[in-house]
Amino acid sequence: MKQNYEEKFITNIENTNYASLSTGHQVFFKTIAFQYQFSFQELKQLIDFTIDFKMWNEKDIVEIFKNEYANRKMAFNHIRDVWNELKSKPNTYDTFDKSSYSDKRKITFEKIEKETLSLGACPVASPNTRCCNLMTLDSVESCGFDCSYCSIQSFYNQNKVAFDVNFAQKLKNLKLDPNETYHIGTGQSSDSLMWGNKEGILDALFDFARSNPNVILEFKTKSNNISYFLENEVPSNIICTWSLNTPVIIENEEHLTAKLHQRIGAARKLADKGVLVGFHFHPIVQYENYLEDYKEVYETLINTFDSKEVVLVSMGTLTFIKPVIQKLRSRDFKSKILQMSFVDANGKASYDLKAKKEMFKSAYDSFKAWHKDVY
Ligand code: SF4
């Protein structure tokens, strides 16, 4: 039997982000859907546009939608054009302030017994990516920071942080080939340092590094929680790296993390102790005057560290898989991280090649003074 529009609306709306809309927007959508009889695909997109306008702190759909359009197509095309226009202009965070973010999560800690040690190839490795052969070791599941672009949001329950009670024992039992050199990082499923030595994770990892000198063990962080490193002798095969960004991105997209000067200050302290440090610029994010802002950070590093103290500098940019975009749209917060003109890059949404060349060339050229010494 043929469904009428109301029946179709009720069936199809469940497969959209309608439930994430405010009550006011839901009423608005019902009204315009019945007035213009939008197709399911059009409705789905219009709802996503509405969420995006709100997340980007731009004009509300109710203000943008005209009182009258000649037909359904013109109504849809108008809203899609506004959305595309907003994505193609350079971002600014001028309309963001402290009220743009509030931490609504209530983090609880959980002790779990995992069957095996989570050690494997970096999940980004694929035939289509240039690989650095990093292996990842999950010592903690989930993170207490709240970076808008974070992909682990879609893997773990963000309110529950899980520690494996047998982590130390499993690490002790791990058999590695003594003739191989391994680069293992712990900053994939959580921040490496934010939890300190909770549940003895740093004791276990330091012991592991001492017993396996053929492992380069990397702690990657956005925190300045280095007290364990200052209070203990650090094995020489441990390296500590900071994921850095510009103050604009830290303030607006890397919520709850340490500020730029705190991260650099912590790195300086560990370098003073003789620990090799490194820096990741990942993701480099485009916004108005972003190249100048990033250059300032690069210069600060060059002026603060001797190249001999720095083991690596890496760079990367935004890539989004669909579940992360979906997760972002289900949250009630402000972010500009999806307000970009993305293209498809190996099944993920990312900047086009021209934009990538511009950001990576600028970063690479800025570190010219370190090219000979730093990986
Ligand atoms: S610090 Fe890393 S793991 Fe934690 S929220 Fe940010 S991107 Fe995700």
PDB file of all heavy atoms in Angstrom, residues 105 142-153 158 187-191 194 220-222 254-255 257, ligand 1:
ATOM      1  N   ARG A 105      30.720  15.841  30.856  1.00  0.00           N
ATOM      2  CA  ARG A 105      30.968  14.429  31.125  1.00  0.00           C
ATOM      3  C   ARG A 105      31.225  14.199  32.607  1.00  0.00           C
ATOM      4  O   ARG A 105      31.777  15.039  33.297  1.00  0.00           O
ATOM      5  CB  ARG A 105      32.190  13.943  30.334  1.00  0.00           C
ATOM      6  CG  ARG A 105      32.015  14.092  28.835  1.00  0.00           C
ATOM      7  CD  ARG A 105      33.314  13.839  28.129  1.00  0.00           C
ATOM      8  NE  ARG A 105      34.379  14.627  28.725  1.00  0.00           N
ATOM      9  CZ  ARG A 105      35.668  14.332  28.617  1.00  0.00           C
ATOM     10  NH1 ARG A 105      36.058  13.284  27.953  1.00  0.00           N
ATOM     11  NH2 ARG A 105      36.579  15.105  29.168  1.00  0.00           N
ATOM     12  N   SER A 142      40.309   5.059  26.563  1.00  0.00           N
ATOM     13  CA  SER A 142      39.554   6.310  26.606  1.00  0.00           C
ATOM     14  C   SER A 142      40.371   7.431  27.261  1.00  0.00           C
ATOM     15  O   SER A 142      41.321   7.171  27.983  1.00  0.00           O
ATOM     16  CB  SER A 142      38.213   6.160  27.318  1.00  0.00           C
ATOM     17  OG  SER A 142      37.363   7.193  26.881  1.00  0.00           O
ATOM     18  N   CYS A 143      39.937   8.646  26.977  1.00  0.00           N
ATOM     19  CA  CYS A 143      40.754   9.804  27.339  1.00  0.00           C
ATOM     20  C   CYS A 143      39.936  10.810  28.145  1.00  0.00           C
ATOM     21  O   CYS A 143      38.734  10.950  27.945  1.00  0.00           O
ATOM     22  CB  CYS A 143      41.267  10.448  26.054  1.00  0.00           C
ATOM     23  SG  CYS A 143      42.459  11.747  26.348  1.00  0.00           S
ATOM     24  N   GLY A 144      40.614  11.522  29.031  1.00  0.00           N
ATOM     25  CA  GLY A 144      39.927  12.532  29.837  1.00  0.00           C
ATOM     26  C   GLY A 144      39.940  13.899  29.177  1.00  0.00           C
ATOM     27  O   GLY A 144      39.261  14.817  29.642  1.00  0.00           O
ATOM     28  N   PHE A 145      40.726  14.065  28.130  1.00  0.00           N
ATOM     29  CA  PHE A 145      40.676  15.320  27.385  1.00  0.00           C
ATOM     30  C   PHE A 145      39.514  15.233  26.397  1.00  0.00           C
ATOM     31  O   PHE A 145      38.924  14.167  26.209  1.00  0.00           O
ATOM     32  CB  PHE A 145      42.005  15.563  26.656  1.00  0.00           C
ATOM     33  CG  PHE A 145      43.170  15.822  27.584  1.00  0.00           C
ATOM     34  CD1 PHE A 145      44.455  15.379  27.263  1.00  0.00           C
ATOM     35  CD2 PHE A 145      42.997  16.505  28.773  1.00  0.00           C
ATOM     36  CE1 PHE A 145      45.522  15.619  28.108  1.00  0.00           C
ATOM     37  CE2 PHE A 145      44.060  16.750  29.632  1.00  0.00           C
ATOM     38  CZ  PHE A 145      45.329  16.303  29.298  1.00  0.00           C
ATOM     39  N   ASP A 146      39.251  16.337  25.740  1.00  0.00           N
ATOM     40  CA  ASP A 146      38.065  16.351  24.875  1.00  0.00           C
ATOM     41  C   ASP A 146      38.350  17.126  23.586  1.00  0.00           C
ATOM     42  O   ASP A 146      37.807  18.218  23.381  1.00  0.00           O
ATOM     43  CB  ASP A 146      36.890  16.979  25.660  1.00  0.00           C
ATOM     44  CG  ASP A 146      35.555  16.685  25.007  1.00  0.00           C
ATOM     45  OD1 ASP A 146      35.536  15.939  24.008  1.00  0.00           O
ATOM     46  OD2 ASP A 146      34.532  17.207  25.485  1.00  0.00           O
ATOM     47  N   CYS A 147      39.211  16.557  22.765  1.00  0.00           N
ATOM     48  CA  CYS A 147      39.521  17.210  21.485  1.00  0.00           C
ATOM     49  C   CYS A 147      38.385  16.915  20.511  1.00  0.00           C
ATOM     50  O   CYS A 147      38.000  15.752  20.354  1.00  0.00           O
ATOM     51  CB  CYS A 147      40.829  16.680  20.909  1.00  0.00           C
ATOM     52  SG  CYS A 147      42.194  16.789  22.063  1.00  0.00           S
ATOM     53  N   SER A 148      37.893  17.975  19.868  1.00  0.00           N
ATOM     54  CA  SER A 148      36.708  17.782  19.016  1.00  0.00           C
ATOM     55  C   SER A 148      36.966  16.786  17.888  1.00  0.00           C
ATOM     56  O   SER A 148      36.073  16.059  17.484  1.00  0.00           O
ATOM     57  CB  SER A 148      36.274  19.127  18.436  1.00  0.00           C
ATOM     58  OG  SER A 148      37.347  19.684  17.718  1.00  0.00           O
ATOM     59  N   TYR A 149      38.186  16.753  17.380  1.00  0.00           N
ATOM     60  CA  TYR A 149      38.470  15.928  16.207  1.00  0.00           C
ATOM     61  C   TYR A 149      38.870  14.495  16.557  1.00  0.00           C
ATOM     62  O   TYR A 149      39.224  13.712  15.686  1.00  0.00           O
ATOM     63  CB  TYR A 149      39.612  16.580  15.392  1.00  0.00           C
ATOM     64  CG  TYR A 149      40.818  16.887  16.233  1.00  0.00           C
ATOM     65  CD1 TYR A 149      41.710  15.891  16.616  1.00  0.00           C
ATOM     66  CD2 TYR A 149      41.048  18.183  16.696  1.00  0.00           C
ATOM     67  CE1 TYR A 149      42.795  16.156  17.410  1.00  0.00           C
ATOM     68  CE2 TYR A 149      42.135  18.466  17.501  1.00  0.00           C
ATOM     69  CZ  TYR A 149      43.004  17.450  17.857  1.00  0.00           C
ATOM     70  OH  TYR A 149      44.071  17.722  18.675  1.00  0.00           O
ATOM     71  N   CYS A 150      38.850  14.145  17.838  1.00  0.00           N
ATOM     72  CA  CYS A 150      39.418  12.875  18.285  1.00  0.00           C
ATOM     73  C   CYS A 150      38.637  11.669  17.748  1.00  0.00           C
ATOM     74  O   CYS A 150      37.427  11.584  17.898  1.00  0.00           O
ATOM     75  CB  CYS A 150      39.426  12.826  19.799  1.00  0.00           C
ATOM     76  SG  CYS A 150      40.077  11.282  20.433  1.00  0.00           S
ATOM     77  N   SER A 151      39.362  10.724  17.170  1.00  0.00           N
ATOM     78  CA  SER A 151      38.670   9.562  16.601  1.00  0.00           C
ATOM     79  C   SER A 151      38.325   8.525  17.666  1.00  0.00           C
ATOM     80  O   SER A 151      37.445   7.706  17.449  1.00  0.00           O
ATOM     81  CB  SER A 151      39.507   8.926  15.501  1.00  0.00           C
ATOM     82  OG  SER A 151      40.751   8.566  16.028  1.00  0.00           O
ATOM     83  N   ILE A 152      38.993   8.550  18.829  1.00  0.00           N
ATOM     84  CA  ILE A 152      38.667   7.508  19.811  1.00  0.00           C
ATOM     85  C   ILE A 152      37.277   7.732  20.445  1.00  0.00           C
ATOM     86  O   ILE A 152      36.730   6.830  21.046  1.00  0.00           O
ATOM     87  CB  ILE A 152      39.746   7.318  20.907  1.00  0.00           C
ATOM     88  CG1 ILE A 152      39.774   8.483  21.866  1.00  0.00           C
ATOM     89  CG2 ILE A 152      41.114   7.039  20.352  1.00  0.00           C
ATOM     90  CD1 ILE A 152      40.438   8.108  23.179  1.00  0.00           C
ATOM     91  N   GLN A 153      36.760   8.951  20.262  1.00  0.00           N
ATOM     92  CA  GLN A 153      35.386   9.219  20.756  1.00  0.00           C
ATOM     93  C   GLN A 153      34.382   8.207  20.218  1.00  0.00           C
ATOM     94  O   GLN A 153      33.396   7.896  20.862  1.00  0.00           O
ATOM     95  CB  GLN A 153      34.898  10.571  20.260  1.00  0.00           C
ATOM     96  CG  GLN A 153      35.516  11.745  20.899  1.00  0.00           C
ATOM     97  CD  GLN A 153      34.992  13.008  20.247  1.00  0.00           C
ATOM     98  OE1 GLN A 153      33.901  13.015  19.708  1.00  0.00           O
ATOM     99  NE2 GLN A 153      35.771  14.062  20.304  1.00  0.00           N
ATOM    100  N   GLN A 158      33.067   7.619  26.210  1.00  0.00           N
ATOM    101  CA  GLN A 158      33.952   8.694  26.669  1.00  0.00           C
ATOM    102  C   GLN A 158      33.872   8.968  28.165  1.00  0.00           C
ATOM    103  O   GLN A 158      34.742   9.599  28.727  1.00  0.00           O
ATOM    104  CB  GLN A 158      33.627   9.958  25.897  1.00  0.00           C
ATOM    105  CG  GLN A 158      34.492  10.098  24.673  1.00  0.00           C
ATOM    106  CD  GLN A 158      35.038  11.491  24.552  1.00  0.00           C
ATOM    107  OE1 GLN A 158      34.258  12.438  24.456  1.00  0.00           O
ATOM    108  NE2 GLN A 158      36.338  11.646  24.569  1.00  0.00           N
ATOM    109  N   GLY A 187      50.176   6.481  23.044  1.00  0.00           N
ATOM    110  CA  GLY A 187      49.219   7.601  23.004  1.00  0.00           C
ATOM    111  C   GLY A 187      48.122   7.433  21.971  1.00  0.00           C
ATOM    112  O   GLY A 187      47.605   8.411  21.447  1.00  0.00           O
ATOM    113  N   GLN A 188      47.707   6.204  21.693  1.00  0.00           N
ATOM    114  CA  GLN A 188      46.693   5.996  20.660  1.00  0.00           C
ATOM    115  C   GLN A 188      45.280   5.909  21.233  1.00  0.00           C
ATOM    116  O   GLN A 188      44.345   6.502  20.726  1.00  0.00           O
ATOM    117  CB  GLN A 188      47.032   4.704  19.898  1.00  0.00           C
ATOM    118  CG  GLN A 188      46.174   4.425  18.695  1.00  0.00           C
ATOM    119  CD  GLN A 188      46.366   5.471  17.593  1.00  0.00           C
ATOM    120  OE1 GLN A 188      47.445   5.992  17.401  1.00  0.00           O
ATOM    121  NE2 GLN A 188      45.281   5.779  16.902  1.00  0.00           N
ATOM    122  N   SER A 189      45.145   5.186  22.353  1.00  0.00           N
ATOM    123  CA  SER A 189      43.805   4.974  22.910  1.00  0.00           C
ATOM    124  C   SER A 189      43.518   5.928  24.075  1.00  0.00           C
ATOM    125  O   SER A 189      42.434   5.915  24.648  1.00  0.00           O
ATOM    126  CB  SER A 189      43.675   3.542  23.416  1.00  0.00           C
ATOM    127  OG  SER A 189      44.650   3.314  24.410  1.00  0.00           O
ATOM    128  N   SER A 190      44.490   6.735  24.423  1.00  0.00           N
ATOM    129  CA  SER A 190      44.321   7.717  25.497  1.00  0.00           C
ATOM    130  C   SER A 190      45.510   8.658  25.438  1.00  0.00           C
ATOM    131  O   SER A 190      46.409   8.463  24.623  1.00  0.00           O
ATOM    132  CB  SER A 190      44.275   7.019  26.858  1.00  0.00           C
ATOM    133  OG  SER A 190      43.936   7.952  27.864  1.00  0.00           O
ATOM    134  N   ASP A 191      45.535   9.667  26.294  1.00  0.00           N
ATOM    135  CA  ASP A 191      46.724  10.497  26.416  1.00  0.00           C
ATOM    136  C   ASP A 191      47.729   9.731  27.285  1.00  0.00           C
ATOM    137  O   ASP A 191      47.354   9.148  28.303  1.00  0.00           O
ATOM    138  CB  ASP A 191      46.354  11.829  27.086  1.00  0.00           C
ATOM    139  CG  ASP A 191      47.531  12.773  27.141  1.00  0.00           C
ATOM    140  OD1 ASP A 191      48.358  12.647  28.062  1.00  0.00           O
ATOM    141  OD2 ASP A 191      47.635  13.635  26.252  1.00  0.00           O
ATOM    142  N   MET A 194      48.389  11.898  30.975  1.00  0.00           N
ATOM    143  CA  MET A 194      47.393  12.610  31.799  1.00  0.00           C
ATOM    144  C   MET A 194      47.013  11.846  33.068  1.00  0.00           C
ATOM    145  O   MET A 194      46.649  12.444  34.066  1.00  0.00           O
ATOM    146  CB  MET A 194      46.143  12.990  30.999  1.00  0.00           C
ATOM    147  CG  MET A 194      45.175  11.865  30.728  1.00  0.00           C
ATOM    148  SD  MET A 194      43.656  12.491  29.992  1.00  0.00           S
ATOM    149  CE  MET A 194      43.097  13.690  31.190  1.00  0.00           C
ATOM    150  N   LYS A 220      53.087   9.940  24.199  1.00  0.00           N
ATOM    151  CA  LYS A 220      52.595  11.126  23.469  1.00  0.00           C
ATOM    152  C   LYS A 220      51.512  11.812  24.288  1.00  0.00           C
ATOM    153  O   LYS A 220      50.599  11.138  24.781  1.00  0.00           O
ATOM    154  CB  LYS A 220      52.042  10.698  22.110  1.00  0.00           C
ATOM    155  CG  LYS A 220      51.736  11.875  21.208  1.00  0.00           C
ATOM    156  CD  LYS A 220      51.513  11.431  19.787  1.00  0.00           C
ATOM    157  CE  LYS A 220      50.054  11.121  19.593  1.00  0.00           C
ATOM    158  NZ  LYS A 220      49.640  10.903  18.249  1.00  0.00           N
ATOM    159  N   THR A 221      51.622  13.120  24.429  1.00  0.00           N
ATOM    160  CA  THR A 221      50.718  13.791  25.360  1.00  0.00           C
ATOM    161  C   THR A 221      50.320  15.198  24.938  1.00  0.00           C
ATOM    162  O   THR A 221      51.015  15.843  24.148  1.00  0.00           O
ATOM    163  CB  THR A 221      51.388  13.849  26.763  1.00  0.00           C
ATOM    164  OG1 THR A 221      50.449  14.315  27.716  1.00  0.00           O
ATOM    165  CG2 THR A 221      52.617  14.746  26.768  1.00  0.00           C
ATOM    166  N   LYS A 222      49.208  15.646  25.507  1.00  0.00           N
ATOM    167  CA  LYS A 222      48.823  17.066  25.415  1.00  0.00           C
ATOM    168  C   LYS A 222      48.747  17.627  26.837  1.00  0.00           C
ATOM    169  O   LYS A 222      48.071  18.614  27.087  1.00  0.00           O
ATOM    170  CB  LYS A 222      47.449  17.206  24.753  1.00  0.00           C
ATOM    171  CG  LYS A 222      47.444  16.899  23.274  1.00  0.00           C
ATOM    172  CD  LYS A 222      46.142  17.324  22.634  1.00  0.00           C
ATOM    173  CE  LYS A 222      46.135  17.004  21.156  1.00  0.00           C
ATOM    174  NZ  LYS A 222      45.369  15.814  20.825  1.00  0.00           N
ATOM    175  N   GLU A 254      40.736  21.834  21.481  1.00  0.00           N
ATOM    176  CA  GLU A 254      41.409  20.804  22.294  1.00  0.00           C
ATOM    177  C   GLU A 254      41.044  21.041  23.755  1.00  0.00           C
ATOM    178  O   GLU A 254      41.897  21.446  24.566  1.00  0.00           O
ATOM    179  CB  GLU A 254      42.930  20.848  22.068  1.00  0.00           C
ATOM    180  CG  GLU A 254      43.313  20.478  20.647  1.00  0.00           C
ATOM    181  CD  GLU A 254      44.823  20.419  20.384  1.00  0.00           C
ATOM    182  OE1 GLU A 254      45.610  20.885  21.238  1.00  0.00           O
ATOM    183  OE2 GLU A 254      45.193  19.912  19.320  1.00  0.00           O
ATOM    184  N   HIS A 255      39.809  20.769  24.099  1.00  0.00           N
ATOM    185  CA  HIS A 255      39.290  21.134  25.412  1.00  0.00           C
ATOM    186  C   HIS A 255      39.951  20.333  26.532  1.00  0.00           C
ATOM    187  O   HIS A 255      40.230  19.141  26.383  1.00  0.00           O
ATOM    188  CB  HIS A 255      37.779  20.934  25.438  1.00  0.00           C
ATOM    189  CG  HIS A 255      37.098  21.679  24.339  1.00  0.00           C
ATOM    190  ND1 HIS A 255      37.073  23.054  24.278  1.00  0.00           N
ATOM    191  CD2 HIS A 255      36.470  21.251  23.225  1.00  0.00           C
ATOM    192  CE1 HIS A 255      36.442  23.437  23.190  1.00  0.00           C
ATOM    193  NE2 HIS A 255      36.071  22.348  22.522  1.00  0.00           N
ATOM    194  N   THR A 257      42.852  20.323  27.694  1.00  0.00           N
ATOM    195  CA  THR A 257      44.279  19.995  27.576  1.00  0.00           C
ATOM    196  C   THR A 257      45.130  21.131  28.149  1.00  0.00           C
ATOM    197  O   THR A 257      44.629  22.232  28.396  1.00  0.00           O
ATOM    198  CB  THR A 257      44.668  19.801  26.098  1.00  0.00           C
ATOM    199  OG1 THR A 257      44.388  21.030  25.408  1.00  0.00           O
ATOM    200  CG2 THR A 257      43.887  18.672  25.454  1.00  0.00           C
TER     201      THR A 257
HETATM  202  S1  SF4 B   1      44.344  13.958  23.790  1.00  0.00           S
HETATM  203 FE1  SF4 B   1      44.325  12.510  22.087  1.00  0.00          FE
HETATM  204  S2  SF4 B   1      43.133  10.778  22.818  1.00  0.00           S
HETATM  205 FE2  SF4 B   1      42.680  12.493  24.190  1.00  0.00          FE
HETATM  206  S3  SF4 B   1      40.841  13.475  23.352  1.00  0.00           S
HETATM  207 FE3  SF4 B   1      42.624  14.539  22.485  1.00  0.00          FE
HETATM  208  S4  SF4 B   1      43.033  13.502  20.532  1.00  0.00           S
HETATM  209 FE4  SF4 B   1      41.708  12.144  21.761  1.00  0.00          FE
END
